[in-house]
Amino acid sequence: MAPVNCTNGAMVGCVAVLSLSLATLSYFLFNQQRIFKHPKSKTQNLNCTKKYGSGIVGAIGNTPLIRINSLSDATGCEILGKAEFLNPGGSVKDRIAVKIIEEALASGQLAPGGVVTEGSAGSTAISLATVAPAYGCKCHVVIPDDVAIEKVCFGLLHQSLNLLFFENFYAVLFWSLTIPRPLQNKQSQIIEALGATVERVRPVSITHRDHFVNVARRRASEANEQAAKYGKNSETPNRTQEQTNGEIFKEQKKNYTFSRDCTGGFFADQFENLANFRAHCEGTGPEIWEQTEGKLHAFVAAAGTGGTLAGVSHFLKEKNDKIKCFLIDPPGSGLFNRVTRGVMYSKEEAEGKRLKNPFDTIIEGIGINRLTHNFMKARLDGAFRGTDKEAVEMSRFLLKNDGIFLGSSSAMNCVGAVRVAQALGPGHTIVTILCDNGMRHLSRFYKAEYLSELGLTPSASGLEFLGLL
């Protein structure tokens, strides 16, 4: 009998073993990139051999840096986006939530059992509600009642589904688009079920005592006063006066009384608290530097609180002062004028002199008409002005050509990346921030009727809205 030829079979086997080995090695290296930290630990163990994160906090940060193929090919530059929407809470704000709470606990301004309050029209509220329980704290957020409903209900729903659909992101998108609106509205109870309280107030000027930020500051003071009143010898909390199973009783709805076992309150103050800046100077910036191996030419991002732009630009400039850092600013914001002209706005446009104009911009979470402590830490080389139309067109272009589903501020950041590429010319590497995904913007930024009323219906077939054919 002739011998059996095993050459092909052996080759296939070798290839299979090699492929499995490479896959195992890739998985190992990917996990080794993360530095996990327990919420209560004060130091990071760089030699940790664990292959898993420590709770929800361990999954925050070390987000991928992805090449945005369509924009890179169109500009001749390498345009890279830091995929912050892959954080557990669905946005870049997870980073500052962790940093703010950890610093407050370390300083004694917050204790386990306390309540973190914040006034947030964007994703910070969701991030604080996501992170606070990991530190044994509760969360109370105050938002203006004109913010998109997805910011309240769907963001934390994303957290619950993120692990299930991590490998199939658009399954979540399909769910969000097909679920009946009444049920979607009902999911707003998720925030309360997770231990957070949502308080809606009317939108007013920042100088008004009932501005959502000022209300949040007041709630923290009320929690401290209540904790001081009852002290350590307080009786068992009255179940009719505390938040239970996500429901707020009528007495609490009126004055937002905190439970008697509350150990006090802490106002997160994301705009002025420099923990925001430090979160990005110590986290996001170093990650970008490592992921690009220091081979980048520019960074661009919009600013709301200014923490991301300031923290990243400060770190990158410290590593290499030749790296150019830019602001992209939406309509209605005065930061562009501040960076380019040194004058932020006229007296008539100051936030204390006028009410918010809802038609300044449809972009949520960025743009401001005052200087925050965080923004003043930014080290910038210039600024660009973006428009609502450009952001809308960019979001649809990226969804169609790259399959990337971005929120409004992320789309504006990508507009900024193209503007920087046009200014610097081909051959440069440019990094921006993909702050969150589009699921939190369905009722406005992705709603055809709403855009049509404002004359913002997308119509571009390519990047002609930015002068690229």
Side-chain angles (χ1 to χ4, degrees), residues 44 60-65 81-85 87 91-97 99 275-292 296 299-301 307-316 319 413 431-435:
Q44 293 181 345
I60 295 173
N62 289 304
T63 53
L65 187 66
K82 191 87 164 99
E84 290 297 297
F85 57 79
N87 280 309
S91 81
V92 68
K93 298 298 185 178
D94 282 9
R95 294 177 183 267
I96 71 170
K99 192 67 172 176
N276 184 345
F277 160 78
R278 288 187 287 271
H280 297 290
C281 190
E282 299 171 10
T284 318
E287 288 175 26
I288 291 173
W289 179 262
E290 181 179 352
Q291 289 169 323
T292 60
L296 72 158
F299 173 76
V300 60
T308 305
L309 182 64
V312 174
S313 65
H314 187 91
F315 176 85
L316 293 178
K319 299 297 288 188
N413 281 348
V431 176
T432 193
I433 302 292
L434 308 182
C435 318

Side-chain angles (χ1 to χ4, degrees), residues 97-126:
V98 168
K99 192 67 172 176
I100 286 174
I101 293 177
E102 286 191 345
E103 289 194 3
L105 288 169
S107 67
Q109 295 176 282
L110 176 67
V115 58
V116 180
T117 72
E118 181 61 298
S120 172
S123 297
T124 304
I126 296 169

Side-chain angles (χ1 to χ4, degrees), residues 368-389:
I368 192 172
N369 275 324
R370 70 180 189 277
L371 288 178
T372 67
H373 289 154
N374 283 290
F375 184 83
M376 286 190 287
K377 291 283 188 179
R379 297 175 62 177
L380 302 177
D381 296 282
F384 298 89
R385 173 78 81 186
T387 68
D388 285 351
K389 181 72 173 192

Side-chain angles (χ1 to χ4, degrees), residues 38-78:
H38 191 279
K40 295 182 181 179
S41 67
K42 295 183 179 180
T43 60
Q44 293 181 345
N45 181 6
L46 299 180
N47 296 318
C48 180
T49 59
K50 290 182 179 179
K51 303 299 189 295
Y52 51 85
S54 181
I56 196 71
V57 175
I60 295 173
N62 289 304
T63 53
L65 187 66
I66 63 175
R67 182 181 191 267
I68 305 178
N69 293 330
S70 64
L71 302 185
S72 299
D73 295 342
T75 61
C77 290
E78 288 294 293

Side-chain angles (χ1 to χ4, degrees), residues 237-406:
N238 186 337
R239 304 300 289 181
T240 63
Q241 292 186 343
E242 64 176 334
Q243 181 180 333
T244 306
N245 295 328
E247 301 215 359
I248 305 174
F249 292 92
K250 292 182 179 180
E251 294 81 18
Q252 187 176 345
K253 283 184 177 180
K254 182 177 180 180
N255 56 21
Y256 287 94
T257 301
F258 297 97
S259 60
R260 290 190 182 182
D261 61 352
C262 177
T263 59
F266 175 75
F267 176 49
D269 197 13
Q270 61 168 326
F271 285 84
E272 307 301 337
N273 189 338
L274 290 180
N276 184 345
F277 160 78
R278 288 187 287 271
H280 297 290
C281 190
E282 299 171 10
T284 318
E287 288 175 26
I288 291 173
W289 179 262
E290 181 179 352
Q291 289 169 323
T292 60
E293 299 180 338
K295 298 174 182 177
L296 72 158
H297 301 94
F299 173 76
V300 60
T305 64
T308 305
L309 182 64
V312 174
S313 65
H314 187 91
F315 176 85
L316 293 178
K317 288 285 191 180
E318 287 293 307
K319 299 297 288 188
N320 183 356
D321 191 53
K322 293 182 179 180
I323 296 175
K324 303 296 183 182
C325 296
F326 299 95
L327 165 77
I328 177 70
D329 213 29
S333 174
L335 296 180
F336 172 82
N337 287 336
R338 174 68 183 189
V339 174
T340 58
R341 303 174 186 173
V343 179
M344 197 157 185
Y345 43 66
S346 66
K347 293 182 180 180
E348 292 76 20
E349 292 177 325
E351 283 196 61
K353 303 296 184 181
R354 62 169 182 156
L355 295 178
K356 175 184 175 183
N357 180 355
F359 297 103
D360 281 344
T361 183
I362 64 168
I363 313 299
E364 292 186 353
I366 58 174
I368 192 172
N369 275 324
R370 70 180 189 277
L371 288 178
T372 67
H373 289 154
N374 283 290
F375 184 83
M376 286 190 287
K377 291 283 188 179
R379 297 175 62 177
L380 302 177
D381 296 282
F384 298 89
R385 173 78 81 186
T387 68
D388 285 351
K389 181 72 173 192
E390 290 170 347
V392 171
E393 294 284 10
M394 177 61 76
S395 67
R396 274 58 171 187
F397 177 84
L398 294 176
L399 184 57
K400 176 182 177 181
N401 292 277
D402 298 87
I404 303 177
F405 183 51
L406 297 180

